């Protein structure tokens, strides 16, 4: 599901792993998006193309952590 989230071009499919009340926070900028619909809208309007490299995925049951690198494609 993590790979699907980052590689799918489908805005519904890519957010399928989240609960409706999920929150996306960017501590460096202070931006905060509450709810899957707001996260989906932000991602759909993001101006840059990106690619993702998975470094490590670990977890169990309902809690998973993905260490990733995001590159901005030109």
């Amino acid at each position: 599901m993590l790979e699907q989230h980052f590689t799918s071009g489908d805005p519904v499919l890519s957010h399928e792993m989240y609960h409706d009340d999920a929150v996306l926070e960017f501590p460096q900028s202070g931006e905060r998006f509450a709810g899957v619909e707001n996260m989906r809208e932000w991602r759909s309007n993001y101006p840059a193309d990106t690619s993702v490299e998975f470094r490590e995925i670990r977890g169990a049951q309902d809690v998973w952590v993905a260490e990733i690198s995001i590159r901005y494609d030109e």
Side-chain angles (χ1 to χ4, degrees):
M1 291 195 90
L2 289 167
E3 288 178 354
Q4 175 179 289
H5 169 72
F6 287 107
T7 60
S8 174
D10 181 325
V12 174
L13 184 63
S14 63
H15 290 82
E16 200 170 77
M17 70 179 183
Y18 294 111
H19 290 273
D20 289 337
D21 60 351
V23 175
L24 172 63
E25 293 182 336
F26 293 93
Q28 68 276 22
S29 66
E31 292 175 282
R32 185 175 193 272
F33 301 91
V36 173
E37 287 302 320
N38 290 325
M39 293 166 56
R40 193 176 290 137
E41 181 180 345
W42 169 81
R43 187 173 182 196
S44 295
N45 292 312
Y46 195 74
D49 290 328
T50 58
S51 59
V52 175
E53 175 189 339
F54 287 87
R55 294 183 175 187
E56 185 177 352
I57 299 173
R58 59 190 175 278
Q61 298 173 5
D62 290 343
V63 178
W64 289 83
V65 175
E67 181 182 334
I68 60 172
S69 290
I70 299 175
R71 291 188 182 87
Y72 297 98
D73 302 329
E74 295 182 27

